[in-house]
Amino acid sequence: MHTTSNSPLLVINCKGSPREIGLEHGTKAADKIKRGIEYYKGEFMRTSDLPWDKVCDLAMKFDPQMEERYPWLKEEMQAIADGADVKYTEVLALNFRQEVIFGMYADGCTSLAWKTHETSFLAQNWDWMIEQKDNVIVLNIDAPGKPRISMGTEAGIIGKIGLNSSGVGVCANGIRVKGVDYNGTPVHICRRLVLESETRDEAIAKIEKYGTAASGHMLVGDKNGCIGLECTTRGIKKLYPDGKGRILHTNHLLAEHEGSFDNLWLKDSPVRLERLTELANQLGRNPNESQIAELFKDDPYNLNQEVDDYDSKDEVSPPKQAAVVKDKCQYGINRAAGEDDRAETLFNIIMDLPKASAIFKFGRPHQPDEVLILTP
């Protein structure tokens, strides 16, 4: 496993049994895990009036299914807690944050899959609160009998965004649809299951077996191309490439999901999707990595249009919501944090799945703090 880096971004190489992997992760990322816990303590209380002990209690509702279905991942999380000197319930809460608060903390991002004549790309900007930037790590995992994994993640979280040595990759978009299914597989665990798979189809079958515990979108791909999975607690809808071999997604539902209301937690999501489509349409049928990379450098731009006030409680379809943005607001694929919006692009990743290789840019992609080549 090779990861090229000359910067302070923490890269953790874990190898061995689930306990050995977890201990290495927890010990080396202990400070970042503790900072992440403190961050989410404040955010959960501020936005949903949930004290941390209540969040941990809710997370423990998933413990029985972890014990029954994914005992090796439970063992890994227990070891992370031991290594970081925190409680197991706190590591559960980090990994199940999307479910314990019914999808309110799904990640913001812009993702793209593109099957060209020559290769299969999977790429995204991962946007989240700027306060968590210092707690981003690159996690490399080498477990016997499984593909090797390289991913960008938050310290303490065992499944995020990346690829494996078999050329299987996953990207993710947060979508806020109210509801949680405690029989479904937590979203971050689904992403880890994808990264433990030998093929795209094997990965999708693992997710479909139990469904997801909360809403979200995942792009799952390999050398044969990618499929989008729009997930709610009511089921999974597949999104297939368009005539140019592309799937483009941001943070709202694109398919019809009967009985599920998307309240568009990020009001700029349709605007970013429109912008990504506009830029992608300027490329030919067979773009290279450099051209894909340019799409994700798109800075915020002035919409400068008069709009009506929007009430998020109104059941308005996302296409109509695309026009519902504040006058002269700045929106772009390459997010920058501001006084009223603390979300920023914290990393960008572009995966070449047939080569099982990725370019990982830590920070905003137009001027990254660090660039790593991931080859699990």
Side-chain angles (χ1 to χ4, degrees), residues 18-38:
R19 180 157 183 82
E20 289 171 325
I21 289 168
L23 282 174
E24 190 77 8
H25 180 174
T27 301
K28 290 189 174 179
D31 290 344
K32 295 179 182 293
I33 291 170
K34 290 173 182 175
R35 285 202 304 265
I37 289 171
E38 290 303 312

Side-chain angles (χ1 to χ4, degrees), residues 329-343:
C329 271
Q330 297 271 335
Y331 291 122
I333 295 166
N334 182 12
R335 273 175 164 262
E339 292 183 5
D340 298 327
D341 184 356
R342 301 299 296 159

Side-chain angles (χ1 to χ4, degrees), residues 149-166:
I149 296 169
S150 291
M151 72 174 105
T153 187
E154 297 169 88
I157 294 180
I158 65 171
K160 202 74 172 179
I161 298 159
L163 76 166
N164 68 25
S165 56
S166 296

Side-chain angles (χ1 to χ4, degrees), residues 78-94:
Q78 288 174 320
I80 290 171
D82 291 342
D85 193 24
V86 299
K87 296 177 181 178
Y88 166 61
T89 56
E90 293 181 309
V91 175
L92 281 178
L94 289 178

